[in-house]
Amino acid sequence: MTVLVINSGSSSIKYQLVNPETGESIATGLVERIGEPEGHFEHEYNGETTELFQPVPNHEVGLREVIRLFNEVGPKLDEAGIQAVGHRVVQGGKHFNKAVIVDDAVEDLITELIPLGPLHNPANLEGIKVARELFDVPNVAVFDTAFFQGLPNESATYALDRETAEKYQIRRYGAHGTSHQYVSGRVSKLLGRDDLKQIVLHLGNGASVSAVVNGKAVDTSMGLTPLEGLMMGTRVGDIDPAAVFHLHRVAGMSIDEIDNLFNKQSGLKGLAGDNDMRGVCQMAADGDENAIEALEVYIHRLLMYIGGYTAVMGGLDVITFTAGVGENSDEIRGMVLDRLAGFGIKYDAEKNATRSKEERTISTEDSTVRVMIVPTNEELAIAQQAVALV
């Protein structure tokens, strides 16, 4: 039994064939530069990588080529026991608090939510439409916002005029919910406790924090869109909303230009000139003042959320690092934890510096808070939710 998991972006498709029972990743792939003169395919199976460079005018052409690659390179899809196709959808709004089997009505609701997820939902929807045509198995939508739909009103509500907020569905929706739910669930299982107060730090090019009490999210850093919250690879994160008015009035920038500035030209890229944390850390080590300041801002934002969420939860049992930066950057973990030493949080420097894909604890036995690294696996989480439905 397998599930084909598809994550469609505006110009890309990531896919993975997963066994939801064992967690095994059977095959993975990526289609890049959709709509550009030359696209790129990368398909991995049995330790071998197949690459193609050819035009990919749209998602349908891309997915048809993916099917051909499966059948030519392996594994053959009609022999892989596919039970469902699972899709990541970023914005589920108030409509979806769990995964759903996609039908025409679900497609219509995802379309209706495009104004709340203009950067992601159109591409997610395109992948769903094409997959429904090409695969004769149920398609399941798994929403990034679902884990956070039950946030308490005190954390989900903005202090905006109530009538306006309700009319235009403005509230905290969060994102990365599939990752936060998976990681916090793994922590509870590993520790054998459901009564935990957890902070999950999902640190990648996109970054978010969640506060989870007894398995339920009580707060998260991303808001109406994935722009709010932490400083990220190219996103500005928290900023005075009046900066939008200022840039429009004084700099003469259009709304689209400001949108592009905040989402694609800011964060690490805006402060250090590089959105890859590895490059920024190396630049800082070499004495680049902009990179050093960028890291200081990055760590400062993280500490603010850790402190705030500890207060919101009335205590803290576990801090967990996950995603690309969280799992792999011992420098970032060390910088955060060193600043928390005054609260009795202690970590083993050797364990922190050890590279591993294993779930593990890096705090010492006498630390007031357990510190863990748990690799996220959104594809497995999507596959498991899909199978549970079908």
Side-chain angles (χ1 to χ4, degrees):
M1 178 173 65
T2 62
V3 174
L4 180 61
V5 177
I6 295 177
N7 183 357
S8 299
S10 58
S11 60
S12 66
I13 303 169
K14 293 181 181 179
Y15 61 90
Q16 189 167 157
L17 188 65
V18 182
N19 183 323
E21 293 182 341
T22 66
E24 178 190 6
S25 173
I26 300 166
T28 64
L30 174 65
V31 185
E32 296 180 289
R33 300 196 287 272
I34 295 173
E36 298 183 21
E38 184 174 68
H40 174 229
F41 292 82
E42 190 172 285
H43 183 85
E44 296 183 19
Y45 174 58
N46 261 353
E48 305 242 345
T49 300
T50 302
E51 285 191 282
L52 295 175
F53 295 89
Q54 63 190 49
V56 190
N58 54 49
H59 286 70
E60 181 178 358
V61 171
L63 278 176
R64 286 189 182 280
E65 186 64 20
V66 166
I67 294 172
R68 190 191 69 77
L69 282 169
F70 267 110
N71 292 329
E72 182 178 299
V73 179
K76 294 183 182 297
L77 290 179
D78 58 358
E79 299 174 3
I82 294 179
Q83 299 293 304
V85 179
H87 299 267
R88 178 195 180 211
V89 181
V90 169
Q91 180 56 263
K94 292 184 177 181
H95 299 304
F96 303 105
N97 62 0
K98 59 184 177 181
V100 294
I101 295 176
V102 179
D103 56 19
D104 291 346
V106 169
E107 273 196 19
D108 289 344
L109 287 173
I110 295 173
T111 302
E112 180 185 311
L113 291 167
I114 285 176
L116 293 175
L119 299 179
H120 300 93
N121 270 37
N124 303 155
L125 187 62
E126 183 68 22
I128 288 172
K129 289 181 175 179
V130 173
R132 288 186 71 195
E133 293 179 8
L134 298 182
F135 296 98
D136 190 26
V137 293
N139 282 259
V140 176
V142 178
F143 299 89
D144 261 11
T145 53
F147 186 51
F148 299 122
Q149 202 199 71
L151 287 176
N153 287 339
E154 62 199 49
S155 58
T157 304
Y158 291 113
L160 184 66
D161 168 69
R162 191 177 298 277
E163 184 177 342
T164 301
E166 291 176 355
K167 181 177 181 180
Y168 297 103
Q169 303 178 68
I170 299 173
R171 55 157 280 173
R172 181 176 305 282
Y173 292 106
H176 296 152
T178 305
S179 175
H180 285 280
Q181 184 175 22
Y182 173 83
V183 170
S184 60
R186 287 300 302 160
V187 169
S188 289
K189 186 171 183 179
L190 290 166
L191 301 185
R193 288 181 57 188
D194 295 324
D195 61 337
L196 293 170
K197 295 175 179 177
Q198 302 187 47
I199 288 177
V200 177
L201 304 173
H202 177 110
L203 307 180
N205 193 49
S208 58
V209 190
S210 68
V212 181
V213 177
N214 302 337
K216 295 185 178 180
V218 297
D219 213 336
T220 189
S221 57
M222 288 180 167
L224 175 72
T225 74
L227 181 61
E228 186 182 358
L230 297 175
M231 172 182 167
M232 307 179 215
T234 63
R235 295 178 192 146
V236 68
D238 291 335
I239 190 171
D240 184 343
V244 177
F245 319 143
H246 179 77
L247 289 170
H248 178 64
R249 292 166 179 158
V250 178
M253 296 178 69
S254 68
I255 294 300
D256 287 342
E257 288 173 329
I258 298 170
D259 190 329
N260 181 70
L261 173 67
F262 283 8
N263 275 292
K264 299 181 179 180
Q265 305 299 327
S266 299
L268 290 174
K269 183 177 181 180
L271 292 186
D274 189 346
N275 67 304
D276 190 313
M277 182 60 81
R278 292 165 296 187
V280 175
C281 286
Q282 185 58 57
M283 291 162 62
D286 293 339
D288 185 291
E289 293 185 1
N290 288 339
I292 292 171
E293 183 180 64
L295 290 179
E296 289 172 346
V297 174
Y298 188 92
I299 300 301
H300 179 79
R301 297 280 184 89
L302 279 169
L303 292 168
M304 287 178 61
Y305 275 97
I306 292 170
Y309 285 175
T310 301
V312 165
M313 294 188 292
L316 179 60
D317 297 309
V318 188
I319 296 174
T320 305
F321 291 87
T322 192
V325 174
E327 294 168 26
N328 299 305
S329 179
D330 58 298
E331 296 100 330
I332 294 300
R333 292 193 300 265
M335 290 171 73
V336 171
L337 296 173
D338 286 343
R339 296 279 293 275
L340 295 173
F343 299 95
I345 297 176
K346 303 176 184 179
Y347 69 102
D348 185 310
E350 184 177 344
K351 289 181 178 179
N352 181 51
T354 301
R355 295 294 294 270
S356 171
K357 294 184 179 180
E358 298 298 316
E359 302 166 327
R360 59 204 187 275
T361 295
I362 62 171
S363 52
T364 60
E365 290 188 5
D366 60 341
S367 177
T368 55
V369 173
R370 184 183 288 261
V371 181
M372 301 184 71
I373 302 170
V374 175
T376 190
N377 195 333
E378 292 169 284
E379 290 76 19
L380 176 59
I382 290 171
Q384 290 173 337
Q385 291 184 51
V387 165
L389 277 176
V390 304

